[in-house]
Amino acid sequence: MSEGCAQCQGGCDGEKPSRRGVMFKIGAGLMGVGTVLASVPLAGALVAPGFVRDGDTWVDLGATSDYPEGETRLAKFTLPGSNPNDGETSRTAAWVRSMSGGGFQVFAVNCAHLGCPVKWFQQSRLFMCPCHGGVYYEDGSRASGPPPRGLFEYQSKVENGRLFIAAGRLPGLQEST
Amino acid sequence: MMRAACLLAGVALIAACGEVPLNKAGRDDAAAAVPPTWSALYATHCAGCHGADGTLGPARPMRDAAYLATVPRNRLIEVVAAGQGVLMPALAQSKGGAVPDADLVRLVDGMLAEWGKSGKALAVAWSGPLGDASRGATTYATFCQTCHGAADGRTPGTRGSVSDPNYLRLVSDQALRSAILFGRADLGGTCNGPYPGQATNRALRADEVSDVVAFLAARRPSIGRKP
Amino acid sequence: MMLRWLRSIIGWTEERSGAVAFVAPIMTHRVPRDAKWWYVFGSATLMFFSIQLVSGVLLATLYAPSAADAYQSLIYIDNQVPLGWMLRAIHGWSSNAMVLMVVVHMSQVFLHASFKYPRELTWMVGVLLLFCTLALAFTGQIMRWDQDAYWGLGIGASIVDRVPVIGNTLRGILLGGPYIGGATLSRFFALHVFVLPGITIALVGLHLALILKGGISEMPKPGMVVDPATYRKGYEERVHRTGVPFWPDAAQRDMVFCGLALIVLIGLAAFYGPFGPNGNPDPSNIDANPRPDSAFLWIFAALALLPPQIETFLLLAAPPVIVLFMLAIPLLSNRGERAPTRRPLAVIASLAVAVALVSLTWLGVSSSWSPVMTAWTATPAPVSLVKRLTPLQMQGALVLQYQQCRNCHAIDGAGGERGPDLVDVGSRLSWDQLVRQVQQGGGNMPAYGKTLSSAETVAVVAFLQQCRVDGQPAASIPGALERARTSDLAPVATPSASE
């Protein structure tokens, strides 16, 4: 195989070496262009999801009266932007804290350490994480354990007696503030 | 050699044709669909305070036939669902707890059926208004002081003070009443009477119970969170 | 008659393909006579990989690789498809067996220094195969598409998210979008079923070709030094003189071991059944208690134990450093002694790694840093304590349950293990120290000052102070002015005074 090629390069079919050199260069160039043309859409399709920068959408979490003042309750909702193909994973939850004296804080259930679902304990007024033991106070600030910061908080607003949060992405260290 | 291989293959085939792995009666998912039994619910949500077998926990024993026969079922369900006093949490999901309403009913009914079977209701009502505090002082001195010490804290009792202001801030009037009515037989307590060694070797009357509760309630400081 | 037929068919094929002429020398290539039981682990790894390929293809005929259906399709495979559960069990157990065999095989190669000249490339390809195996195991766990899979992906996404600047973009590429959903499963399905097996098959081929080229290494002997200038000649001479053909002399041991391993595997699969699936992949169900598969428990443990200050740095820097170091091992030392007795550093390093992996895995199983979420209502206060409590202390014991202290604190071994066991806390901390610890927290404990009323604090401290073993004295600071310890018997303030 390799011997055959070597012989051909030596000029076994009578073509002039310079002409073949040109042909080789043209071939290499065409292949190069073709490869670039093919790989841009292919690689693009692979990495495109990383560059989606859609803003979050307002989600209705129900009437504010559903959240007793001074208590923190779990609100379940369907992630905006999800599609039927996501199945159950499009369902999401958030911790809604209805503060005494008015106002809401809405926290992601995802621990700021590595994203496990934190659980609220009404009695000790703490959030605890089942994975690595992160603990947060009722205002979302870090109490103890490995989390580098407090709980992620959704942007929220109240309109016509209903509570809305801006959601649509998995909360993470570089996502929300 | 061939025969041994065939035999092995046969065994493997029989083993593999079983519906489920050899060490499992059924798949976990099938089991998850069955609602938990009342005893499983008790073990998960009550045993911490009320004791593993319904006695000898820091909170009132539930394996107490007289208690279960006296307190109405609806009241029990209400307390389990919404909590009571300072240290009984609300368990119902609608109150921020972890247990669905249907499970709560099954839990209470299970306790009533299992632990409340032979219970006879007390003659004294399980709840009632506060009585007279000054009369209660006398009753307290007669019936309670030997074990629980003088109300002013000067003489300690053998079983610890129930007039300590911090204790009183943590127990509701109803909890005091239940403690007097049903006692802690699991701990060797003799409430509600008869009281050995006392001049009056008898149980408290209904009015006396209300008076002692009123007496203790009056000693509860009104600072901090209310019970 | 039959035999003659067969022979003519083989002859016809052989004349055109040269298959026998190609394979025969490979099968009968000479291997060192002393290559005995130490050398069976590589073959066993390959066997388990073959099992994975076969059972994996069969599972692919049943599995629905869509986030909406995957979980239900597993339930269906387990309960409805004849022998479906066995298929999943074999695939799952064989995955664990393959990881185990890769690690054992690699340890043997490292301890015997078989990676030295001329087998450096064989080792490097082996390292890549190790990470392919681990990647297959991790993506395989994702295929279960249960709670563990979902939150395992969440942990992975959170780690990737910590990469400076481009972390968020990388996370999107990994998940196929801004959240964990259908696109995520499809991506990992493609990885698990097409990309990784393809790469692994290619690397296994390369690994085997390199083994044939370099020859099976001899058992190391002290004093028998590898010198690249003379090694190859010496090896070929020795193998030619004293070696035996791979088939059947060496292969028979492989067959014995692989056969036994296979029977054990089928037995485990039939007895213990498949892994998971554990709970619907419903992220709004926050009662999940995510745990990774056994091969990754040590990472799970390390993530809990890394010092928070340098956690991100270690999370991101350690994996590439580890991979590069493992790849570079034969470049750092490709000559010299091979015998473990002459390479104490290598032996100590292997032992250290083994001890670390085993203990981290053990810690991952017990995961003592995790709060026990139900302990406060499910773990009874010890009866022996309850029997001796005063009414106030009794309320303190209730406060301890009610405030979820037991989720992190055991009493006499029962309860969470995040904080210290409280069975003897009364002889370790004085009244004032207990009050301060409860109110202000610290030492990885949340502060309860805002949550507890003064009565609750007094009650719980009164309870904690009597938590002492066998009549040990209560802790006190000599000479310090302390509050009366028997406050429940002698109230500090009368009600009238406090009002």
Side-chain angles (χ1 to χ4, degrees):
Chain A
M1 190 57 179
S2 58
E3 276 174 33
C5 283
Q7 280 173 3
C8 279
Q9 276 175 356
C12 55
D13 56 2
E15 280 186 58
K16 285 176 186 163
S18 63
R19 178 113 178 261
R20 238 184 1 264
V22 172
M23 178 79 96
F24 184 85
K25 280 175 189 156
I26 292 174
L30 287 174
M31 280 303 288
V33 173
T35 307
V36 169
L37 283 178
S39 51
V40 165
L42 291 180
L46 178 70
V47 301
F51 296 91
V52 175
R53 286 287 177 273
D54 285 349
D56 290 328
T57 324
W58 290 107
V59 187
D60 187 348
L61 291 189
T64 52
S65 53
D66 292 348
Y67 301 98
E69 194 175 310
E71 291 190 26
T72 299
R73 292 289 170 87
L74 190 68
K76 300 189 178 188
F77 59 96
T78 301
L79 208 62
S82 62
N83 59 66
N85 189 32
D86 295 326
E88 287 178 287
T89 48
S90 63
R91 298 168 62 176
T92 309
W95 289 111
V96 178
R97 177 189 181 212
S98 174
M99 290 183 278
S100 328
F104 287 91
Q105 269 187 304
V106 186
F107 305 109
V109 293
N110 306 83
C111 180
H113 180 224
L114 290 170
C116 289
V118 297
K119 192 168 179 179
W120 166 250
F121 288 94
Q122 179 73 35
Q123 292 74 26
S124 50
R125 316 199 77 72
L126 295 171
F127 296 96
M128 295 188 191
C129 176
C131 281
H132 301 109
V135 181
Y136 306 84
Y137 292 118
E138 62 179 326
D139 64 354
S141 57
R142 175 187 173 278
S144 68
R149 48 158 287 165
L151 285 174
F152 307 119
E153 197 175 336
Y154 290 106
Q155 206 186 332
S156 64
K157 66 176 182 187
V158 175
E159 263 175 23
N160 302 325
R162 298 189 78 80
L163 178 64
F164 292 84
I165 59 167
R169 315 170 63 90
L170 181 70
L173 283 178
Q174 296 185 22
E175 283 292 343
S176 38
T177 46
Chain B
M1 188 60 202
M2 247 344 248
R3 201 175 292 173
C6 286
L7 197 73
L8 256 176
V11 170
L13 199 68
I14 292 166
C17 281
E19 294 270 297
V20 291
L22 299 181
N23 76 327
K24 276 188 191 165
R27 298 285 310 124
D28 296 341
D29 321 291
V34 179
T37 61
W38 82 268
S39 49
L41 288 166
Y42 180 88
T44 314
H45 300 290
C46 319
C49 295
H50 293 283
D53 65 346
T55 63
L56 290 174
R60 133 146 310 286
M62 282 297 125
R63 199 193 197 98
D64 181 337
Y67 178 81
L68 292 177
T70 311
V71 181
R73 172 174 175 271
N74 283 346
R75 169 69 186 164
L76 290 173
I77 294 174
E78 192 183 305
V79 169
V80 174
Q84 190 207 13
V86 188
L87 296 174
M88 171 72 200
L91 294 185
Q93 271 175 351
S94 54
K95 304 281 180 191
V99 191
D101 288 357
D103 282 359
L104 289 179
V105 173
R106 211 169 45 257
L107 170 64
V108 169
D109 286 343
M111 280 196 295
L112 286 171
E114 198 79 7
W115 292 341
K117 253 184 293 200
S118 55
K120 261 179 58 189
L122 292 193
V124 184
W126 65 275
S127 78
L130 293 182
D132 181 278
S134 56
R135 266 188 307 174
T138 324
T139 316
Y140 180 89
T142 318
F143 287 90
C144 317
Q145 195 158 319
T146 317
C147 292
H148 290 298
D152 59 8
R154 294 239 168 76
T155 57
T158 55
R159 296 234 163 221
S161 167
V162 289
S163 53
D164 179 285
N166 289 316
Y167 168 78
L168 289 172
R169 280 171 61 196
L170 296 174
V171 292
S172 63
D173 294 348
Q174 180 58 48
L176 287 169
R177 187 177 177 91
S178 293
I180 296 169
L181 284 178
F182 304 102
R184 289 295 306 260
D186 55 334
L187 290 173
T190 49
C191 294
N192 171 22
Y195 302 94
Q198 296 289 347
T200 48
N201 193 359
R202 62 168 178 82
L204 293 183
R205 294 190 312 270
D207 59 319
E208 287 170 334
V209 172
S210 303
D211 290 347
V212 173
V213 173
F215 167 68
L216 291 175
R219 300 186 63 80
R220 181 184 293 129
S222 61
I223 52 169
R225 266 199 284 160
K226 100 179 189 19
Chain C
M1 182 65 192
M2 269 296 277
L3 212 65
R4 202 187 303 160
W5 253 68
L6 203 67
R7 204 169 284 165
S8 77
I9 289 176
I10 292 176
W12 189 90
T13 322
E14 177 63 16
E15 204 267 327
R16 283 155 185 80
S17 68
V20 173
F22 178 72
V23 173
I26 293 177
M27 292 304 286
T28 57
H29 77 281
R30 295 183 92 73
V31 298
R33 179 176 292 278
D34 56 4
K36 291 196 171 161
W37 293 103
W38 281 108
Y39 291 65
V40 299
F41 304 116
S43 311
T45 311
L46 182 55
M47 177 195 67
F48 286 125
F49 181 56
S50 314
I51 299 270
Q52 290 305 77
L53 289 178
V54 175
S55 58
V57 169
L58 286 173
L59 278 174
T61 64
L62 299 165
Y63 178 71
S66 126
D69 307 318
Y71 184 82
Q72 286 308 323
S73 80
L74 291 189
I75 304 283
Y76 179 76
I77 293 172
D78 276 356
N79 297 324
Q80 308 290 323
V81 177
L83 289 181
W85 66 269
M86 187 64 182
L87 204 52
R88 284 196 59 233
I90 291 176
H91 200 65
W93 282 95
S94 177
S95 149
N96 283 330
M98 185 175 164
V99 173
L100 182 70
M101 281 303 138
V102 167
V103 172
V104 172
H105 175 51
M106 227 169 172
S107 314
Q108 178 263 322
V109 167
F110 180 75
L111 285 172
H112 287 173
S114 307
F115 55 79
K116 295 196 175 185
Y117 181 87
R119 302 182 182 88
E120 297 99 321
L121 268 180
T122 322
W123 167 270
M124 292 186 195
V125 174
V127 169
L128 297 180
L129 278 168
L130 168 74
F131 289 104
C132 278
T133 307
L134 291 175
L136 277 163
F138 182 79
T139 52
Q141 184 188 330
I142 304 300
M143 291 305 102
R144 277 207 304 265
W145 208 240
D146 55 4
Q147 275 179 3
D148 287 351
Y150 182 90
W151 297 110
L153 275 171
I155 291 180
S158 301
I159 293 175
V160 172
D161 205 23
R162 293 195 183 203
V163 176
V165 188
I166 56 164
N168 203 5
T169 305
L170 286 180
R171 194 189 81 165
I173 296 172
L174 182 79
L175 299 181
Y179 61 96
I180 301 169
T184 317
L185 177 60
S186 299
R187 286 198 161 217
F188 279 86
F189 181 75
L191 272 179
H192 185 73
V193 173
F194 299 114
V195 180
L196 288 169
I199 294 175
T200 308
I201 291 171
L203 288 176
V204 166
L206 188 53
H207 198 65
L208 293 177
L210 287 166
I211 291 170
L212 286 173
K213 167 78 178 159
I216 301 272
S217 71
E218 298 149 291
M219 277 299 280
K221 288 189 195 68
M224 209 169 147
V225 177
V226 173
D227 177 1
T230 59
Y231 180 83
R232 223 184 247 282
K233 202 158 158 268
Y235 173 82
E236 268 155 24
E237 263 176 33
R238 287 191 299 276
V239 162
H240 187 72
R241 198 154 25 90
T242 65
V244 293
F246 171 76
W247 183 273
D249 291 52
Q252 62 194 10
R253 284 192 193 84
D254 288 345
M255 286 161 66
V256 168
F257 182 77
C258 289
L260 281 176
L262 194 52
I263 290 169
V264 169
L265 175 88
I266 300 301
L268 287 171
F271 189 75
Y272 290 105
F275 294 89
N278 309 314
N280 302 21
D282 177 356
S284 72
N285 172 13
I286 45 91
D287 282 323
N289 189 16
R291 290 292 179 273
D293 279 359
S294 44
F296 304 101
L297 274 173
W298 65 277
I299 300 178
F300 184 74
L303 290 175
L305 302 173
L306 291 177
Q309 302 82 358
I310 53 165
E311 182 177 41
T312 301
F313 173 73
L314 285 177
L315 274 180
L316 303 178
V321 168
I322 291 173
V323 175
L324 286 178
F325 177 76
M326 288 181 74
L327 285 172
I329 284 175
L331 303 180
L332 300 175
S333 149
N334 77 331
R335 56 173 64 224
E337 288 280 358
R338 284 183 52 213
T341 47
R342 299 285 172 89
R343 295 165 55 242
L345 211 63
V347 174
I348 291 171
S350 318
L351 277 178
V353 171
V355 167
L357 286 182
V358 169
S359 35
L360 279 175
T361 301
W362 171 246
L363 285 170
V365 170
S366 63
S367 57
S368 54
W369 52 82
S370 299
V372 180
M373 294 299 206
T374 55
W376 67 294
T377 52
T379 307
V383 169
S384 57
L385 282 181
V386 169
K387 279 182 172 166
R388 68 178 194 223
L389 299 181
T390 66
L392 179 70
Q393 292 166 347
M394 201 83 97
Q395 294 304 307
L398 280 179
V399 171
L400 199 80
Q401 304 282 142
Y402 186 84
Q403 293 292 340
Q404 283 93 29
C405 307
R406 293 295 294 280
N407 289 16
C408 294
H409 288 285
I411 301 180
D412 211 8
E417 294 171 33
R418 170 112 209 163
D421 194 314
L422 298 177
V423 72
D424 60 348
V425 70
S427 45
R428 286 189 283 111
L429 298 179
S430 72
W431 180 282
D432 286 354
Q433 287 171 320
L434 284 168
V435 170
R436 190 180 60 210
Q437 184 63 38
V438 168
Q439 296 262 324
Q440 299 179 5
N444 224 351
M445 174 174 153
Y448 277 81
K450 280 196 215 158
T451 312
L452 295 183
S453 69
S454 59
E456 285 167 325
T457 307
V458 169
V460 78
V461 170
F463 170 76
L464 291 173
Q465 205 191 26
Q466 65 74 48
C467 283
R468 301 195 296 271
V469 178
D470 291 336
Q472 281 173 343
S476 66
I477 301 169
L481 192 65
E482 295 241 12
R483 189 188 160 99
R485 281 190 212 101
T486 51
S487 74
D488 59 322
L489 296 179
V492 187
T494 60
S496 53
S498 67
E499 269 167 15

